[in-house]
Amino acid sequence: MSTHAAVRSLNINNINPHVRAAEYAVRGELAVRAEEYRAKLAKGCTDLPFDKVISANIGNPQQLDQKPITFFRQVLSLVEYPQLLEKEAVLLEQLGYKSDVIERAKWLLKEVGSVGAYSASAGAPGIRDSVAKFLERRDGFPADPKDIYLSAGASSGVNTLLHIICAGPNTGVLVPIPQYPLYTATLSLLNAQCVPYYLDESKGWGTDLEAIKAAHKKAVDEGTDVRAIVIINPGNPTGASLSVEDIKAVIDFAAQEKLVIMADEVYQTNIFLGEFHSFKKVLRSMQKDEPEKYKYVELASLHSISKGMVGECGHRGGYFELCGFDPEVVEQIYKFVSISLCAPVVAQCVVEMMVNPPKEGEPSYELYKQEWDGIYTGLRERARALYKAFREMEGVECQDPQGAMYLFPTIHLPPKAIEAAKKEGRSPDEFYAFRLLDATGVCVVPGSGFGQKENTLHFRTTFLAPGTEWVGRITKFHKEFMDEFR
Amino acid sequence: MSTHAAVRSLNINNINPHVRAAEYAVRGELAVRAEEYRAKLAKGCTDLPFDKVISANIGNPQQLDQKPITFFRQVLSLVEYPQLLEKEAVLLEQLGYKSDVIERAKWLLKEVGSVGAYSASAGAPGIRDSVAKFLERRDGFPADPKDIYLSAGASSGVNTLLHIICAGPNTGVLVPIPQYPLYTATLSLLNAQCVPYYLDESKGWGTDLEAIKAAHKKAVDEGTDVRAIVIINPGNPTGASLSVEDIKAVIDFAAQEKLVIMADEVYQTNIFLGEFHSFKKVLRSMQKDEPEKYKYVELASLHSISKGMVGECGHRGGYFELCGFDPEVVEQIYKFVSISLCAPVVAQCVVEMMVNPPKEGEPSYELYKQEWDGIYTGLRERARALYKAFREMEGVECQDPQGAMYLFPTIHLPPKAIEAAKKEGRSPDEFYAFRLLDATGVCVVPGSGFGQKENTLHFRTTFLAPGTEWVGRITKFHKEFMDEFR
C-alpha cells in the first residue's frame, strides 16, 4: 500500500524529482495495457474483440516475426559454445554451416577471448577496428578505432553523451520535435533543458534551419547555455530522410554556434526514398573544402544493431564515433563508460558482423543477400500499404514513407472526441490510441509522447507487423470512431 | 589537441562536473597501462621483464581461463540459432548435447520469443518467475515475480536504485569503506553524498554497528538526509562474509532510522568460510517474529551472473528484488528501467539457468556438478595459496579468505617508499601498485581506489589467475621493493 506518512524512507514526494519528471510514452500506460491484453489472450481469454495484440508501439522487429539473419546467428551459436568448432565436419555437412561462419567465429573468439569475459571498456579492440574500416568504406574518409565506443544499444550511447554534455540546469540541448522520447527523458533525468525545434511536416518532416535558429536564439536570449543539437536521421518518429543540403546547413550552424552534433543514425539502412548521407561524410567533405572553418566541429554519431535489417534489439548493441572532441573530454567519456564496465560482448560480436557482413563470392553471401533483401522489400511494401490505408482514412494525413520503421500520421478528430478525451483526463491523441487498442489490440503511441505542434494530433505506428489484416482493423476502427464522435 | 580556448562547445572545465568528480580506479590509469603492456607483448615485444600480464585488478573469471559451465553455453548456442533444434539427433548423438539442454532451450525460446527481440522492461515474465522460485527455495519465504527486475549486471541495478534514492546534494547514502567504487562513482554522478562507514579489519572486515551509528549520526547532525545503507556481502574488496547477527543488527538499525537497505549479494556463492545468509531471509524471519516493527523495511537485494562459478560477466546480466517499497516509488523504478528498454535477453537466459541449474538426476547434472565443484575448489585453493604467500611477506597482513574473489591485504611500506611516492605525486599504495605492474605484469588496485582508514595502505587482488607462478612474481617483487626502500 502506498502511504505518504513517514513509515518508509522513500515515497513519491521525496524521491529524485528528475526521475519523476521524466516521460517515456513508448513503454507507458498504453504499452502496459497491451501487455495485459496479451497475457489475457495467452491464458485463453475470449471476451476481447480481437485475438492478437499487435505491438506497433515499438520498433521490435523480431517480436513481429522478422527472422534473424542466419549468418549472424550461426556465428553466435559458435562463439557461445566454442566446442562446436571441434566438430567442423558435422557443422559443414550436417548442420548447414558454411566455412566463412566458422572462420568468423574463430576470429571473433580470438579477439574477445570468451564472450563471457568483460571486454575493454570501449569494446574489444578488434571489433572497434572493424567498425572503423566500415566507416571508411561507407564515407570515403579515414576513421580511427580509438574514436569508436561500443555501447549497449544506441540508448546507452545517448545516455553517455548527454551525461558529459549536461553540466546543470542551465545547459540546453536542441532536440527535434517530434522526437524519440529517450532524449527528453534523459535531459529530464539530468535536469538539463530541452530546447525544442520543430520539424517541418509540410516538407516531409525535414529540418527547417530557420526553426532551429529561432529556437536557439530564443533559448540563448533566455540565458540558456545551448551546447548541442540532436538530429535523428532517418527520423524517429517521422521517418524523414535528410538531404545533403539539410545536413550541411545543420553542420554550418553548429560550427558557427559551437554546438556538439549528436547524429542518431540508427535507421541508416532503413531508407525507402533517396539515399542515406552520414553526418560524418558530409562534415569531412566540408572540412576538406574549408578546413579552418569546420576544424573544431564536434560530432558524435550513433548506430545500433537493433534496427535496419539486423533487428537484434534484444542483444543490446551499438556504437558511437566521436569526431573533433577535446582529448580531455574524451578521457572523461572513457571514464564514464568504464563505470558500467563494457557493452554485452555477444552484442559487440553482432556489431562486428553488421559492419562486416559476408561479401560477394563468400559462401554465406547468397543467403545473407536474400534474407536482407527479403526483409527490406517486406518493410517497404508494408510501409506503402499502411501509407495508402492512412491516405484513405477520413481526417488523416500522412507523409510519404522515406525511412526508419515508422509512420507518423496527423489525425483530425471531431470536437466531440476532443470533449470525450477531456472528460477522461486524457489528451485527444491518447484517448484515440486507447480506444484503438481496446477495440483492435493494435498498440500505437500518441503523438504527445514525441511532442507535436500545438493543436495538431498524431500517432506513431511501426510498419513491422506482418500481413495487412491488422491494417484493416485500424481502418475499420477509425471509421467507427469518426462515426461515433462526428 | 586539447585547448581551453573557446573553439569547441565542450572542454574539461565546462562539462558535467559530477562526471569529472567521479572516480573509478578498477579501470583507471593502472588498468590502462596493463592493457598497453598486454598489447606490446601481443606484438612480440621482448624488452619487458615479464611475458604475460595478469589482470588481477578486476573480477573477470573467463579472461583468466575459468571455463564457462557447459550446460549454460550449450543452451545459449540453441537459443541463438534455434534451427539447430530441428536436428535433435545430431545434437544428441554427435555433439554431446543432453535432452535437458534441448528442453531448456525450447522453454526459454517459448518465454522470450527471440533473443533478438526486446523483452518487457523488467525482463521476460517466465524468467522473473524462475528467479522468484529460486528465492523461495533459497530463503524459505515467498517471493513475487513482480518484485524482480532483470538488469544488465548488478551495476545497472545499482545505477537504477541510486537514481531513485538520490534527490539532490543533501541526500546521503551510507557506504562501507573499503567498497567497490561503483557506489561512490554513482553517488558522484548523482551529486549525492557518500556517508562512509568503516569496516572492521581486525574482525575480518565485518560490519561494526557502532561505526555505522556514528557515521549516520554525524551525517544527520550535519543536516544530511541519510536514506539508504549499502552492504556488500560477501564483501568487495574485503572478501568478508557476514554473520546472521551482523545482518540483524543492520536491519534493526535500518528499520529504526528508516533506511533503504541495498544488499549487494553478487558473491553469494563465493563463500569459503561459514555460509551465506541473505538479507531477504533474515528480514523475513525478523518480520515473522515482530511484524509491526519491521513491516516497512525497504530492501533491495542484487545478484549477478558475473561472479560465482557462473562468471559470465561479458553477458551483462543480473537482477534485483524489491521488498517493502512504496508502490508509487516502484512505478517510478519501472519507468526508469523502461527508458533503457530491457536487459540483454541472452543474459536474461543466463540468469534463468543460474537460478535453475540442472537438478540431481537430470542428464546434464553430473557434468554441471563436476564443473561447478572444480571451479569452486580451484578458487578456494588459490585463495589459500595467495593468503599464505601474503602472510609470509614482510610488512604484509592479510585476513582469512572468507568469500568473494579478492584479498585485500594491508601493506606497511618503509618511509623511503612513501617519500618516493610523494615525489611522483602518487599515494604510496598507488606507487607500490605501479611498481608491481612494471616489474611483474601483475595488475592490482591500490586500496585508495576503494577507500581505507587514514594512515593505512592496502591493495586488492583477485585470486582468479590460474597457477601459482604469478604469486611467486609478487613475492619476489615485494622483497626487492622492501630492500630498495628499507
Side-chain angles (χ1 to χ4, degrees):
Chain A
M1 209 192 57
S2 173
T3 164
H4 295 179
V7 293
R8 292 190 181 90
S9 172
L10 303 181
N11 64 61
I12 190 69
N13 297 316
N14 78 353
I15 59 165
N16 186 341
H18 310 307
V19 170
R20 224 166 51 217
E23 291 183 11
Y24 188 69
V26 173
R27 293 204 157 193
E29 196 188 340
L30 261 160
V32 170
R33 189 182 293 182
E35 287 307 320
E36 286 165 4
Y37 285 151
R38 192 190 305 278
K40 274 191 178 178
L41 291 172
K43 281 183 185 149
C45 164
T46 55
D47 60 357
L48 291 171
F50 47 85
D51 57 6
K52 201 179 170 185
V53 169
I54 304 279
S55 299
N57 57 313
I58 186 161
N60 192 4
Q62 295 188 22
Q63 190 201 36
L64 294 162
D65 297 334
Q66 180 173 313
K67 293 278 166 292
I69 302 274
T70 300
F71 177 80
F72 296 173
R73 295 302 199 89
Q74 286 180 331
V75 171
L76 293 184
S77 69
L78 300 178
V79 299
E80 283 290 5
Y81 187 48
Q83 278 90 323
L84 290 174
L85 290 165
E86 294 161 17
K87 307 270 185 174
E88 260 193 47
V90 179
L91 294 174
L92 292 169
E93 289 154 28
Q94 295 183 61
L95 297 174
Y97 287 60
K98 309 276 186 192
S99 59
D100 54 347
V101 169
I102 294 172
E103 279 158 32
R104 184 66 62 92
K106 284 184 180 167
W107 183 82
L108 284 169
L109 284 169
K110 186 170 74 64
E111 294 301 318
V112 304
S114 163
V115 293
Y118 293 125
S119 72
S121 304
I127 297 178
R128 296 165 78 196
D129 286 348
S130 263
V131 174
K133 282 180 196 145
F134 156 73
L135 293 171
E136 292 185 358
R137 287 193 306 274
R138 187 193 70 184
D139 297 332
F141 289 98
D144 188 334
K146 284 201 199 73
D147 299 329
I148 314 285
Y149 291 75
L150 300 180
S151 60
S155 296
S156 156
V158 167
N159 183 57
T160 297
L161 294 164
L162 289 179
H163 261 88
I164 300 294
I165 292 168
C166 298
N170 196 39
T171 298
V173 175
L174 282 154
V175 172
I177 299 296
Q179 52 102 36
Y180 177 55
L182 168 66
Y183 292 97
T184 41
T186 310
L187 290 170
S188 284
L189 290 175
L190 287 163
N191 192 24
Q193 288 181 47
C194 169
V195 180
Y197 66 90
Y198 286 93
L199 299 172
D200 188 348
E201 184 167 7
S202 71
K203 290 181 186 153
W205 293 111
T207 48
D208 171 357
L209 190 65
E210 293 314 311
I212 294 174
K213 278 187 179 165
H216 180 263
K217 183 172 183 313
K218 180 164 174 285
V220 170
D221 287 351
E222 288 166 6
T224 303
D225 176 15
V226 184
R227 298 181 162 196
I229 179 167
V230 172
I231 304 278
I232 312 177
N233 177 44
N236 178 359
T238 65
S241 167
L242 296 184
S243 67
V244 171
E245 289 61 42
D246 286 343
I247 295 173
K248 276 190 173 161
V250 168
I251 294 175
D252 195 60
F253 181 70
Q256 199 178 303
E257 300 293 345
K258 294 192 194 79
L259 301 174
V260 175
I261 302 169
M262 283 178 66
D264 177 338
E265 301 178 329
V266 302
Y267 296 100
Q268 59 188 266
T269 59
N270 296 93
I271 296 271
F272 306 113
L273 279 179
E275 61 179 312
F276 169 70
H277 308 281
S278 74
F279 266 78
K280 168 90 181 287
K281 181 178 183 170
V282 177
L283 171 63
R284 290 292 189 240
S285 318
M286 291 166 81
Q287 286 174 329
K288 209 170 155 188
D289 295 343
E290 295 182 83
E292 283 311 310
K293 191 165 173 191
Y294 299 112
K295 189 173 171 185
Y296 290 113
V297 173
E298 294 146 278
L299 168 66
S301 35
L302 300 115
H303 195 11
S304 163
I305 59 172
S306 299
K307 311 300 173 186
M309 277 30 85
V310 180
E312 294 282 4
C313 6
H315 279 102
R316 315 301 301 117
Y319 70 83
F320 59 89
E321 184 192 20
L322 299 177
C323 300
F325 279 67
D326 186 299
E328 289 181 334
V329 173
V330 171
E331 269 178 37
Q332 298 295 316
I333 294 175
Y334 174 83
K335 181 178 68 184
F336 184 85
V337 302
S338 77
I339 296 171
S340 50
L341 299 162
C342 68
V345 177
V346 175
Q348 296 186 31
C349 295
V350 181
V351 169
E352 203 283 327
M353 294 187 277
M354 171 176 79
V355 300
N356 183 25
K359 290 180 197 60
E360 208 165 342
E362 291 176 352
S364 295
Y365 178 76
E366 201 180 330
L367 179 61
Y368 169 78
K369 177 87 169 50
Q370 183 189 318
E371 291 174 336
W372 180 277
D373 291 349
I375 297 168
Y376 178 84
T377 311
L379 288 175
R380 195 180 51 191
E381 278 168 11
R382 272 175 273 151
R384 299 297 308 174
L386 195 57
Y387 166 71
K388 273 189 195 154
F390 286 151
R391 299 283 292 197
E392 283 166 17
M393 288 184 203
E394 178 189 353
V396 174
E397 289 161 37
C398 188
Q399 298 296 310
D400 247 4
Q402 299 178 58
M405 299 181 162
Y406 313 103
L407 292 181
F408 195 65
T410 288
I411 44 176
H412 299 280
L413 299 184
K416 272 191 192 167
I418 292 166
E419 259 168 57
K422 215 173 184 176
K423 268 187 204 153
E424 287 192 11
R426 296 200 186 278
S427 64
D429 51 351
E430 212 184 1
F431 175 74
Y432 178 89
F434 270 105
R435 283 294 200 101
L436 174 66
L437 174 63
D438 293 342
T440 66
V442 177
C443 184
V444 300
V445 187
S448 46
F450 306 95
Q452 52 197 354
K453 271 194 183 151
E454 222 178 320
N455 299 319
T456 68
L457 298 171
H458 303 76
F459 63 86
R460 184 188 83 166
T461 172
T462 70
F463 41 75
L464 295 166
T468 52
E469 181 271 336
W470 64 283
V471 179
R473 283 197 237 168
I474 299 177
T475 309
K476 180 165 172 284
F477 159 79
H478 185 77
K479 189 175 174 311
E480 288 165 4
F481 182 94
M482 295 303 272
D483 286 348
E484 180 179 350
F485 291 103
R486 202 183 312 277
Chain B
M1 207 192 59
S2 175
T3 162
H4 295 178
V7 293
R8 292 188 181 90
S9 171
L10 303 181
N11 63 61
I12 191 68
N13 297 315
N14 77 354
I15 59 165
N16 186 342
H18 310 307
V19 171
R20 223 167 49 217
E23 290 183 12
Y24 189 69
V26 174
R27 292 202 160 196
E29 197 187 341
L30 261 159
V32 170
R33 189 183 293 180
E35 287 307 319
E36 287 164 6
Y37 284 151
R38 193 190 305 279
K40 274 191 177 175
L41 291 171
K43 281 183 184 148
C45 164
T46 55
D47 61 358
L48 292 171
F50 47 85
D51 57 7
K52 200 179 173 185
V53 169
I54 304 278
S55 299
N57 57 314
I58 185 161
N60 193 3
Q62 295 188 21
Q63 191 200 34
L64 293 162
D65 297 334
Q66 181 174 312
K67 294 281 166 290
I69 303 274
T70 301
F71 177 80
F72 296 173
R73 294 303 198 89
Q74 286 181 330
V75 171
L76 293 184
S77 69
L78 300 178
V79 299
E80 283 291 6
Y81 188 48
Q83 278 91 325
L84 290 174
L85 290 165
E86 296 161 15
K87 308 268 185 176
E88 262 192 46
V90 179
L91 294 174
L92 292 169
E93 289 155 28
Q94 295 184 59
L95 297 174
Y97 287 60
K98 308 279 185 190
S99 58
D100 54 347
V101 169
I102 293 172
E103 279 157 33
R104 184 66 62 91
K106 284 183 181 167
W107 182 81
L108 284 168
L109 284 168
K110 185 171 75 62
E111 294 300 318
V112 304
S114 164
V115 293
Y118 293 125
S119 72
S121 304
I127 296 177
R128 295 166 79 196
D129 286 348
S130 263
V131 174
K133 282 179 197 145
F134 156 73
L135 294 171
E136 292 184 357
R137 285 193 306 274
R138 188 193 68 183
D139 296 332
F141 289 98
D144 187 335
K146 284 200 198 74
D147 299 329
I148 314 286
Y149 291 74
L150 300 180
S151 60
S155 297
S156 156
V158 168
N159 183 56
T160 297
L161 294 164
L162 289 179
H163 261 87
I164 300 293
I165 292 168
C166 297
N170 197 40
T171 298
V173 175
L174 282 154
V175 173
I177 299 294
Q179 51 102 36
Y180 177 54
L182 169 65
Y183 293 95
T184 40
T186 310
L187 290 170
S188 284
L189 291 174
L190 287 163
N191 191 25
Q193 286 181 47
C194 170
V195 180
Y197 67 91
Y198 287 93
L199 299 172
D200 187 348
E201 183 165 9
S202 71
K203 291 181 187 154
W205 293 110
T207 48
D208 171 356
L209 189 66
E210 293 313 311
I212 294 174
K213 277 187 180 165
H216 180 264
K217 184 172 184 310
K218 181 166 175 283
V220 170
D221 287 351
E222 287 166 6
T224 304
D225 176 13
V226 183
R227 298 181 162 198
I229 179 167
V230 172
I231 305 277
I232 312 178
N233 178 43
N236 179 358
T238 64
S241 168
L242 297 184
S243 67
V244 171
E245 287 60 45
D246 285 343
I247 295 173
K248 276 190 175 162
V250 168
I251 294 175
D252 195 60
F253 182 70
Q256 199 178 305
E257 300 294 344
K258 294 191 192 81
L259 300 174
V260 174
I261 302 168
M262 284 179 67
D264 178 337
E265 301 179 328
V266 303
Y267 298 100
Q268 59 188 264
T269 60
N270 297 92
I271 295 272
F272 306 114
L273 277 181
E275 60 179 313
F276 169 71
H277 308 281
S278 74
F279 267 77
K280 168 90 180 287
K281 180 177 182 172
V282 178
L283 171 63
R284 290 293 190 241
S285 319
M286 291 166 81
Q287 286 175 329
K288 210 171 153 189
D289 295 342
E290 297 182 82
E292 283 311 309
K293 191 166 173 190
Y294 298 112
K295 188 171 172 184
Y296 290 112
V297 172
E298 294 147 278
L299 167 66
S301 36
L302 300 114
H303 195 12
S304 163
I305 60 172
S306 299
K307 310 301 170 185
M309 278 27 87
V310 180
E312 294 282 2
C313 8
H315 278 102
R316 314 303 300 117
Y319 71 82
F320 58 90
E321 183 191 22
L322 300 176
C323 300
F325 279 67
D326 185 301
E328 289 181 334
V329 173
V330 171
E331 270 178 37
Q332 298 296 316
I333 294 175
Y334 174 83
K335 182 178 71 185
F336 184 86
V337 301
S338 77
I339 296 172
S340 51
L341 299 163
C342 68
V345 177
V346 175
Q348 296 186 31
C349 294
V350 181
V351 169
E352 203 284 326
M353 293 187 278
M354 171 177 77
V355 299
N356 182 25
K359 290 180 198 57
E360 207 165 342
E362 291 175 354
S364 295
Y365 179 74
E366 200 180 331
L367 179 61
Y368 169 77
K369 177 86 171 49
Q370 184 189 319
E371 291 174 336
W372 180 278
D373 291 349
I375 297 167
Y376 178 84
T377 311
L379 287 175
R380 197 181 48 191
E381 278 169 10
R382 272 175 272 150
R384 299 296 308 176
L386 195 57
Y387 166 71
K388 274 188 196 156
F390 285 151
R391 300 281 291 198
E392 284 167 16
M393 288 184 204
E394 179 189 355
V396 174
E397 290 161 39
C398 188
Q399 296 298 308
D400 247 4
Q402 299 178 59
M405 299 180 161
Y406 312 105
L407 292 182
F408 194 66
T410 289
I411 43 176
H412 300 279
L413 299 184
K416 271 193 193 165
I418 291 166
E419 259 167 57
K422 214 173 184 178
K423 267 189 206 152
E424 288 192 11
R426 297 199 186 277
S427 63
D429 52 351
E430 212 184 3
F431 175 75
Y432 178 88
F434 270 105
R435 282 295 198 101
L436 174 67
L437 174 64
D438 293 344
T440 66
V442 178
C443 184
V444 300
V445 187
S448 47
F450 306 94
Q452 53 198 354
K453 273 194 184 151
E454 223 176 319
N455 299 319
T456 69
L457 298 171
H458 302 77
F459 63 86
R460 185 189 81 166
T461 173
T462 70
F463 41 77
L464 296 166
T468 52
E469 180 271 335
W470 64 283
V471 179
R473 283 198 236 167
I474 299 177
T475 310
K476 179 165 174 283
F477 158 80
H478 186 76
K479 189 176 175 310
E480 287 167 5
F481 182 94
M482 296 301 274
D483 286 347
E484 179 179 351
F485 292 103
R486 201 183 312 276

